[in-house]
């Protein structure tokens, strides 16, 4: 009888801990992609999409590979060409360097900059990085948390001053 009571109490204690474990495993992350219609509006072109990562929250290489698969939402599009591969991810303190496959033939400089803004914003939300450098073939761009502006709120009148 004592063993049965001890077993029931142990199982009960374990079951009470499971909801907390499940919440941690299913903690969502936010990936940033482009609005499909961003060229037609004056809104910010970069939008977050929450994704479940099933226990891989601390595996940045996995998360970035998952990111490169593209968004789920039909109203979003990947800023990087289909088939872009992740080569390396290195973090030294607050600096993160990501090397992806060469996109120079498929993205002009403006498109590459926008893709880097999406990827950098995603990375800064996933890890404690203050600046992110993205290398793709001969192109390289470093964005920092301090100078990453995603929404231009300056009106033409303010610019003229």
């Amino acid at each position: 009888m004592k063993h049965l009571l001890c077993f029931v109490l142990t199982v009960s204690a374990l079951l009470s801990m499971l909801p907390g474990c499940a919440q941690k495993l299913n903690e969502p992350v936010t990936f940033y992609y482009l609005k499909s219609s961003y060229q037609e509006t004056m809104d910010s072109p970069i939008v977050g999409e929450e994704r479940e990562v099933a226990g891989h929250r601390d595996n940045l290489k996995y998360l970035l590979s998952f990111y490169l698969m593209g968004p789920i939402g039909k109203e979003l599009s990947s800023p990087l060409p289909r088939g872009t591969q992740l080569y390396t991810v290195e973090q030294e303190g607050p600096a993160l360097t990501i090397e992806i496959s060469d996109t120079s033939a498929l993205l002009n400089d403006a498109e590459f900059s926008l893709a880097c803004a999406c990827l950098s914003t995603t990375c800064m939300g996933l890890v404690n990085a203050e600046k992110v450098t993205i290398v793709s073939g001969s192109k390289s761009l470093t964005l920092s948390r301090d100078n990453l502006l995603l929404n231009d709120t300056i009106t033409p009148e303010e610019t003229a001053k």
Side-chain angles (χ1 to χ4, degrees):
M1 187 70 167
K2 284 183 179 182
H3 292 289
L4 182 59
L5 181 60
C6 186
F7 176 75
V8 169
L9 290 174
T10 303
V11 169
S12 175
L14 288 174
L15 287 176
S16 68
M17 289 189 280
L18 283 179
C21 293
Q23 287 174 352
K24 184 171 183 183
L25 288 176
N26 291 323
E27 180 183 348
V29 297
T30 303
F31 291 159
Y32 291 89
Y33 295 106
L34 295 175
K35 282 185 191 175
S36 296
S37 62
Y38 80 91
Q39 294 171 333
E40 300 164 10
T41 66
M42 294 300 288
D43 295 339
S44 174
I46 300 174
V47 177
E49 178 179 71
E50 280 197 358
R51 302 283 283 274
E52 296 293 332
V53 293
H56 294 281
R57 178 67 175 92
D58 296 328
N59 186 341
L60 184 58
K61 194 163 187 171
Y62 171 86
L63 292 174
L64 293 178
S65 295
F66 192 38
Y67 171 84
L68 291 174
M69 291 180 192
I72 295 173
K74 300 285 186 217
E75 69 283 355
L76 302 176
S77 64
S78 179
L80 293 162
R82 180 176 275 267
T84 300
Q85 295 179 15
L86 179 66
Y87 290 157
T88 61
V89 178
E90 296 176 8
Q91 185 169 9
E92 280 189 38
L96 181 66
T97 302
I98 299 167
E99 185 179 0
I100 57 174
S101 53
D102 189 0
T103 61
S104 61
L106 301 171
L107 295 177
N108 64 37
D109 287 344
E111 292 168 331
F112 181 71
S113 296
L114 198 51
C116 288
C118 291
L119 187 53
S120 295
T121 304
T122 297
C123 290
M124 288 176 194
L126 296 174
V127 297
N128 188 20
E130 291 298 317
K131 69 178 185 175
V132 178
T133 300
I134 294 138
V135 179
S136 176
S138 62
K139 292 182 180 181
S140 175
L141 184 63
T142 300
L143 296 169
S144 70
R145 193 178 295 272
D146 296 338
N147 70 5
L148 184 62
L149 298 175
L150 300 180
N151 193 2
D152 185 3
T153 58
I154 297 174
T155 62
E157 296 81 27
E158 290 174 309
T159 306
K161 292 180 183 176

